[in-house]
Amino acid sequence: MVPQTIKEHTEIFMKRTKWLDKNHPQHRTANPEHSQKTAFFGYQKVPEDKKAQRVLQHFNTVAQKYDLMNTLLSFGIHHLWKRSAIKTMTLKPGDRVLDVCGGTGDLAILAAQTVGESGRVIIYDINRAMIDAGLHKMNHSLSKKRIGFIQGDAEQLPFPDGHFDATMVGFGIRNVTRMDQGFKEMCRVLKPGGKMMCLEFSKPTAPVFRWLYDIYSFHVMPLLGELIVGSRKAYMHLPESIRTFALPDELTAILKRVGFSQVTEHKLTNGIAMIHLAVKG
Ligand SMILES: C[S@@+](CC[C@H](N)C(=O)[O-])C[C@H]1O[C@@H](n2cnc3c(N)ncnc32)[C@H](O)[C@@H]1O
């Protein structure tokens, strides 16, 4: 439908920018009890067993320009969010840290700087292209020797119980088909008392700010995606996937359900992003 009037245009825009409403949850990813095996990929509901493939294709498309686009789209603010996220974890020298959905490794590099010579950080990601796209940063990083890579699915971590002092996931969990299973695994591989940090996009709290952010997300982001990455679709998927993701309180409830305690929420930039910090046991 081509909008003819301002009213029609506004209606279409409002429909497209629909945020998750606490009273009318539209997503499935936050509901571990779902009986229909579907998952959200952006606004599309896809069979659960097809989502991982779609996510893989998405990140294959964006991998080469992923870091550049992150910095452009967030005006560099994602680096500050990542620093804050690592700070909340209060890592210690010698800690073993797992970076789930680690991608191009920004969080891992920051963690590696904190855990010192004797510490280790593993970047764990399903997509080889994303890991490869970040390798050049490790070569230039002082932390090179402290970071390892493993390719695999967040829903099945190939580590024994209680292996890590800390686990973290940055902007990745909303891509995991069964988010609760991903968190369960992140809890399982933690030592008792170990910390889990989740950094993820969320819903800005101030309505006017949210409205501006909606316009930016659905007009500027896809345009830059088309110009820089050659895919408007990929950068339409990004804002859609954010809007179908669990709200902060729901995420807290999921973390408690899978075995975490002392869950705290930290809002970043009016709630564009959130840090959830949780303790095992
Ligand atoms: C938005 S990127 C985030 C990368 C990095 N953590 C950061 O903060 O910049 C999401 C990453 O999650 C990975 N991913 C998606 N689904 C996954 C899964 N089921 N298991 C492991 N990694 C997954 C993608 O390949 C991608 O590298």
Side-chain angles (χ1 to χ4, degrees):
M1 173 181 161
V2 179
Q4 302 292 335
T5 63
I6 292 179
K7 189 168 170 267
E8 277 175 11
H9 204 288
T10 309
E11 275 169 10
I12 289 172
F13 181 71
M14 297 297 282
K15 213 168 153 194
R16 201 197 282 162
T17 59
K18 59 187 172 198
W19 281 95
L20 187 63
D21 175 345
K22 213 178 217 173
N23 302 316
H24 305 95
Q26 52 189 244
H27 62 100
R28 292 212 154 273
T29 48
N31 180 4
E33 263 79 68
H34 57 81
S35 54
Q36 289 172 29
K37 301 284 182 195
T38 58
F40 268 102
F41 179 75
Y43 286 162
Q44 283 176 49
K45 266 186 198 164
V46 297
E48 225 181 41
D49 59 353
K50 297 280 185 292
K51 173 161 169 163
Q53 188 57 31
R54 301 286 295 272
V55 170
L56 202 65
Q57 282 165 359
H58 169 77
F59 284 103
N60 279 338
T61 306
V62 303
Q64 283 303 314
K65 301 275 170 63
Y66 176 80
D67 282 342
L68 173 67
M69 285 299 280
N70 263 358
T71 300
L72 280 178
L73 293 177
S74 73
F75 309 102
I77 294 172
H78 75 107
H79 290 299
L80 301 180
W81 293 340
K82 285 168 179 166
R83 279 185 190 283
S84 298
I86 294 294
K87 219 168 164 187
T88 61
M89 294 174 76
T90 53
L91 297 170
K92 299 179 302 301
D95 275 354
R96 260 192 235 163
V97 183
L98 178 65
D99 183 8
V100 175
C101 300
T104 58
D106 282 352
L107 283 173
I109 291 171
L110 291 171
Q113 286 161 2
T114 316
V115 297
E117 283 294 330
S118 56
R120 289 290 173 268
V121 184
I122 292 181
I123 294 178
Y124 184 82
D125 198 287
I126 204 164
N127 190 312
R128 179 66 191 260
M130 284 293 286
I131 294 175
D132 285 349
L135 285 180
H136 68 101
K137 293 189 290 191
M138 317 297 156
N139 292 338
H140 296 166
S141 158
L142 285 177
S143 315
K144 190 179 167 187
K145 290 192 195 111
R146 302 171 200 171
I147 298 178
F149 307 88
I150 297 182
Q151 190 179 355
D153 191 337
E155 293 186 23
Q156 281 179 299
L157 298 178
F159 308 103
D161 298 358
H163 188 69
F164 291 96
D165 299 285
T167 56
M168 58 189 181
V169 57
F171 304 113
I173 202 72
R174 71 180 190 287
N175 298 292
V176 175
T177 308
R178 295 182 303 148
M179 166 168 63
D180 47 311
Q181 175 61 22
F183 280 134
K184 232 182 237 173
E185 281 290 88
M186 289 176 79
C187 188
R188 180 185 65 76
V189 301
L190 265 182
K191 291 177 184 168
K195 283 183 189 149
M196 194 286 308
M197 186 283 294
C198 172
L199 171 64
E200 193 46 273
F201 288 112
S202 195
K203 180 178 177 179
T205 40
V208 174
F209 184 76
R210 190 159 69 232
W211 178 70
L212 292 170
Y213 178 63
D214 281 339
I215 294 175
Y216 177 72
S217 303
F218 285 94
H219 291 287
V220 182
M221 281 187 188
L223 180 67
L224 287 178
E226 189 169 2
L227 293 175
I228 297 169
V229 183
S231 174
R232 187 182 179 80
K233 207 166 103 188
Y235 283 86
M236 192 59 114
H237 169 73
L238 173 64
E240 287 183 5
S241 69
I242 293 169
R243 280 151 186 81
T244 49
F245 184 62
L247 294 171
D249 291 358
E250 293 174 308
L251 203 56
T252 294
I254 293 167
L255 293 175
K256 288 183 177 165
R257 209 155 51 216
V258 302
F260 288 108
S261 61
Q262 301 173 46
V263 184
T264 50
E265 301 172 6
H266 309 258
K267 198 193 294 181
L268 300 165
T269 320
N270 195 254
I272 288 188
M274 289 291 300
I275 297 168
H276 280 74
L277 193 69
V279 176
K280 177 173 178 174

